[in-house]
Amino acid sequence: MISNRVFGKHVDEVLLAAFQEVERLEGMLSRFISNSEISKMNHLSGIGYQQVSSETYELLSNGVNFSKLSNGCFDITIGPLVDFWRQSKSNRTQPNHYELKSILPLVNFIDIEFDECKKTVALKKAGQSIDIGGIGKGYAADKVIEVFKKYGMESGFTNFGGNVAVMGVKPDNSPWNIGIRHPRKENSIIGVVSVTDKSVVTSGDYQRYFIDNKGNRYHHILNPCTGYPSESGLISVTVLADSSMEADALSTIIFISGLSNVKKYLNVFPGIEVILIDKELNVYISSGIKDCFKTTKNIEVNIL
């Protein structure tokens, strides 16, 4: 579900342009559209190179950089695993461990081959597939904000279902207030963060999950190293950054890496801030947002 709102002149024209931009990106990047660049590349896995646009080439390059940075906690070749778990969810069955184990060798970002001069990309092994779900919504949100700026909007926001990007301040000159959902209470928030010209992206184990026929619960954030849903101890990770794509990738990486590795990413990306919730519902925030993050009643905050 995507929602956009802008303030300025020619609002209807701008919203239409934003909608068209999202459609363009989906047609280029969705692996579920047969003639998209990503789909064409996936169909050629183990066979040869696929010519892609400079835009797709850059996005895939960024994806691999995040994979390297996270030592494989983030991996855009996760497509076979996503398909495996989608099938388990559809059947409401326990995942077959041996089948999952046989899929794991297909998930390896090192198997993506780039030819920068020709702008071609290939997957080494048959059966491999790229899924940009970990950065796609963030990238699209950045592009929508670019549309708003191109049309000279005074302020606005875009919300890609958990990926929020805001431009400027609200019409009354106050910051945008973004609610952080309580991961264990429906229709409830754990706090509110006030931001200007920022992206706020949350990865949580409550967003998409299924319960199998034995009563086991599985969420959708997969650890590419194990093949199973991440069990790092974190159940909600929110990242604030200038770039929505960066926030998108890092929210997944930190969710999988766990609390003990957070400071590493805060040091590598000095402009980001985080709001973390562990399975005991302890809340942790980075020091840079201690004055603009307010929790709801009776919730204590730990400063990282």
Side-chain angles (χ1 to χ4, degrees):
M1 179 95 180
I2 303 170
S3 62
N4 297 315
R5 193 171 181 190
V6 288
F7 300 90
K9 296 178 180 179
H10 313 297
V11 166
D12 290 342
E13 184 182 348
V14 177
L15 293 177
L16 176 59
F19 174 78
Q20 290 171 337
E21 175 66 354
V22 173
E23 277 200 326
R24 182 188 72 84
L25 292 171
E26 188 176 20
M28 183 172 67
L29 301 172
S30 173
R31 72 186 184 100
F32 301 109
I33 294 176
S34 61
N35 63 347
S36 75
E37 293 184 1
I38 298 295
S39 285
K40 288 177 180 178
M41 194 172 70
N42 289 343
H43 291 321
L44 287 176
S45 63
I47 299 173
Y49 282 83
Q50 171 64 40
Q51 184 88 42
V52 297
S53 62
S54 296
E55 201 171 355
T56 298
Y57 190 94
E58 184 181 359
L59 181 62
L60 295 176
S61 298
N62 283 326
V64 169
N65 288 338
F66 284 120
S67 298
K68 290 176 181 175
L69 173 76
S70 65
N71 295 317
C73 283
F74 181 92
D75 197 317
I76 59 173
T77 64
I78 202 168
L81 267 183
V82 173
D83 291 338
F84 171 85
W85 283 96
R86 184 177 285 109
Q87 187 63 41
S88 292
K89 181 178 180 179
S90 176
N91 297 333
R92 301 284 176 183
T93 55
Q94 284 185 295
N96 183 308
H97 174 73
Y98 298 102
E99 186 182 347
L100 187 151
K101 197 172 180 181
S102 72
I103 290 172
L104 278 181
L106 296 175
V107 181
N108 192 343
F109 66 92
I110 293 172
D111 290 335
I112 306 177
E113 297 180 329
F114 294 92
D115 187 322
E116 188 170 4
C117 293
K118 296 179 180 177
K119 289 291 186 289
T120 56
V121 188
L123 290 162
K124 282 185 183 178
K125 298 172 187 172
Q128 289 187 305
S129 63
I130 283 176
D131 185 311
I132 60 160
I135 51 175
K137 286 197 294 184
Y139 181 74
D142 285 335
K143 288 294 185 178
V144 168
I145 293 295
E146 283 183 20
V147 170
F148 293 169
K149 290 178 178 177
K150 176 184 173 183
Y151 280 82
M153 290 296 99
E154 296 166 8
S155 65
F157 74 82
T158 182
N159 184 351
F160 280 72
N163 290 52
V164 177
V166 304
M167 184 185 78
V169 294
K170 291 193 291 186
D172 63 2
N173 289 320
S174 66
W176 298 91
N177 294 317
I178 312 298
I180 307 302
R181 183 172 158 184
H182 194 299
R184 293 295 179 262
K185 290 182 181 178
E186 287 263 356
N187 304 316
S188 180
I189 61 172
I190 210 160
V192 173
V193 63
S194 300
V195 293
T196 301
D197 286 319
K198 287 287 180 185
S199 288
V200 182
V201 178
T202 299
S203 292
D205 71 351
Y206 55 87
Q207 293 168 327
R208 284 179 292 174
Y209 64 89
F210 76 96
I211 298 171
D212 70 17
N213 52 11
K214 301 287 186 181
N216 299 305
R217 182 183 184 275
Y218 304 97
H219 64 78
H220 77 292
I221 305 173
L222 305 176
N223 184 334
C225 302
T226 67
Y228 284 89
S230 171
E231 294 182 357
S232 69
L234 294 174
I235 62 173
S236 176
V237 171
T238 299
V239 175
L240 288 72
D242 293 336
S243 159
S244 193
M245 181 186 70
E246 188 176 283
D248 202 1
L250 289 173
S251 68
T252 302
I253 290 169
I254 293 170
F255 189 100
I256 295 170
S257 298
L259 187 62
S260 61
N261 291 299
V262 172
K263 289 191 177 178
K264 164 189 169 182
Y265 297 110
L266 290 174
N267 290 331
V268 174
F269 296 90
I272 72 164
E273 304 291 346
V274 297
I275 302 164
L276 315 174
I277 306 171
D278 67 17
K279 58 186 178 182
E280 281 81 36
L281 297 181
N282 297 308
V283 179
Y284 303 84
I285 68 169
S286 50
S287 58
I289 54 171
K290 64 180 187 296
D291 295 326
C292 59
F293 177 69
K294 306 297 181 188
T295 60
T296 50
K297 205 171 181 181
N298 302 321
I299 295 177
E300 294 184 8
V301 170
N302 303 283
I303 309 295
L304 292 168

